[in-house]
Amino acid sequence: MSSKLIFMVLVAIIFMSVFTSPAFASNAETKANPHHKEVVNVAHRGASGHAPENTIAAFDKALQMKSDFIEIDVQMTADGELIAIHDTTVNRTTDGSGNVSDYTLEEIQQLDAGSWFGEEFAGEPIPTFEEILDKYRGKIGILIELKSPELYPGMEEKVAEALRDRNMHKPRNGKIIIQSFNHESVRLSKELLPRIPHGVLAGLTWADVTDEELEEFATYADYFNPNMNIVTEDLVDRVHDKDMKMWTYTVRTQEQADRLLDLRVDGIITDFPEYVHKHPGKW
């Protein structure tokens, strides 16, 4: 075989190896398929489609499923301790009844927060905010929702104190984010923790948000996080024009996720992390 022929064969082999490699195929697939955009995968109250919401079981499942963030709801007990629970009462997700704010930490941790979801989760307790920080810091991002802060004076300061105590008030990787439907609470929290990104949550009533309102949000928030039902291509563009990102909630079907991925949102908050295709083929 001539040296020229050998050279041509080697070139052909190199050519084939490059263009059939997994890296090249993945890159080409990413360009061809908008669903493979780098969308942040946020496990809503943990992987709450698979385990009881706002429990260690749900957060562990989110970690196992390679979510980028867990989203947690923070409220306060009667003795001023921060805990993770969504509703302002314990009725729906525990075997107790009454307002969260009427329970001391010791009392609320006696409740069963898992049996309602499945027998295998019987006895799952309500975790504290500090417990969550200590267990998951450095392992997964934490999206902290200040839930009904108007009911809990001083909540923003207590959250800030817990983060400062752990030197988590000046993150370098954006892995701590704080959000709330109470926009004044977001503003106060941003003043207390200026180096932590903050987001304003927006329900259905914000479907007609104006550019002026978005510009005002952008003075203290880094994210505009709306209900998925008000998300349009125009809204995504306008939020991005204000140099904010958009993480939208709450996805519970593959079709909902696909629509939002097509609209090029920055993050999806979902009960089912498998519906968000940041990691093609991982599920």
Side-chain angles (χ1 to χ4, degrees):
M1 184 180 295
S2 69
S3 59
K4 182 177 180 179
L5 183 57
I6 292 173
F7 176 76
M8 292 176 65
V9 170
L10 289 173
V11 170
I13 291 172
I14 293 170
F15 180 88
M16 292 299 293
S17 64
V18 168
F19 287 95
T20 59
S21 68
F24 180 85
S26 175
N27 186 52
E29 186 179 27
T30 298
K31 290 180 179 178
N33 190 339
H35 290 186
H36 293 172
K37 175 180 181 279
E38 288 290 317
V39 176
V40 179
N41 190 333
V42 185
H44 180 239
R45 310 176 197 169
S48 56
H50 300 277
E53 63 183 59
N54 280 312
T55 64
I56 297 300
F59 302 142
D60 281 349
K61 185 64 175 178
L63 189 63
Q64 176 191 336
M65 297 180 76
K66 309 298 183 186
S67 299
D68 299 305
F69 276 75
I70 53 174
E71 183 262 354
I72 68 173
D73 299 294
V74 176
Q75 296 192 59
M76 251 166 55
T77 62
D79 49 347
E81 298 295 327
L82 299 171
I83 59 169
I85 187 170
H86 177 270
D87 299 0
T88 56
T89 72
V90 300
N91 300 18
R92 179 177 62 87
T93 57
T94 79
D95 58 347
S97 63
N99 295 324
V100 170
S101 58
D102 291 336
Y103 283 80
T104 65
L105 177 62
E106 182 178 3
E107 291 168 342
I108 213 161
Q109 290 196 307
Q110 301 305 310
L111 301 178
D112 177 352
S115 290
W116 69 273
F117 190 91
E119 291 181 5
E120 66 271 32
F121 299 106
E124 192 76 26
I126 294 172
T128 68
F129 178 58
E130 294 190 350
E131 178 185 1
I132 294 166
L133 294 181
D134 291 337
K135 184 174 177 63
Y136 298 104
R137 59 185 296 187
K139 297 178 182 177
I140 192 169
I142 305 174
L143 175 59
I144 302 162
E145 180 177 344
L146 306 178
K147 181 63 66 175
S148 302
E150 61 276 7
L151 300 179
Y152 308 107
M155 172 192 279
E156 298 87 355
E157 288 83 356
K158 284 184 175 289
V159 168
E161 181 182 2
L163 292 170
R164 287 197 200 99
D165 286 348
R166 292 160 176 78
N167 201 32
M168 297 171 70
H169 61 297
K170 46 185 179 182
R172 298 177 182 175
N173 57 5
K175 287 295 188 179
I176 298 292
I177 300 172
I178 296 173
Q179 64 176 1
S180 183
F181 283 103
N182 185 319
H183 300 162
E184 285 307 309
S185 180
V186 176
R187 191 192 296 269
L188 173 57
S189 181
K190 185 67 172 180
E191 291 174 359
L192 294 168
L193 299 164
R195 296 178 63 176
I196 287 183
H198 283 66
V200 292
L201 282 162
L204 297 175
T205 58
W206 286 97
D208 297 319
V209 63
T210 66
D211 286 341
E212 291 74 22
E213 288 167 329
L214 289 174
E215 190 167 342
E216 171 63 20
F217 289 144
T219 63
Y220 59 90
D222 309 275
Y223 293 80
F224 179 79
N225 295 343
N227 183 297
M228 64 179 178
N229 293 305
I230 70 171
V231 177
T232 63
E233 184 176 357
D234 174 68
L235 181 58
V236 174
D237 289 342
R238 291 195 294 124
V239 168
H240 288 164
D241 285 345
K242 302 302 180 187
D243 292 325
M244 291 187 290
K245 295 181 179 179
M246 179 187 291
W247 290 5
T248 186
Y249 67 92
T250 302
V251 163
R252 296 187 174 95
T253 71
Q254 187 65 65
E255 291 74 19
Q256 292 168 344
D258 290 345
R259 173 180 173 271
L260 295 169
L261 289 161
D262 285 339
L263 290 174
R264 313 296 281 175
V265 299
D266 302 290
I268 293 179
I269 302 171
T270 178
D271 293 352
F272 298 92
E274 65 268 31
Y275 292 156
V276 182
H277 300 302
K278 178 180 176 183
H279 309 286
K282 185 158 287 187
W283 312 115

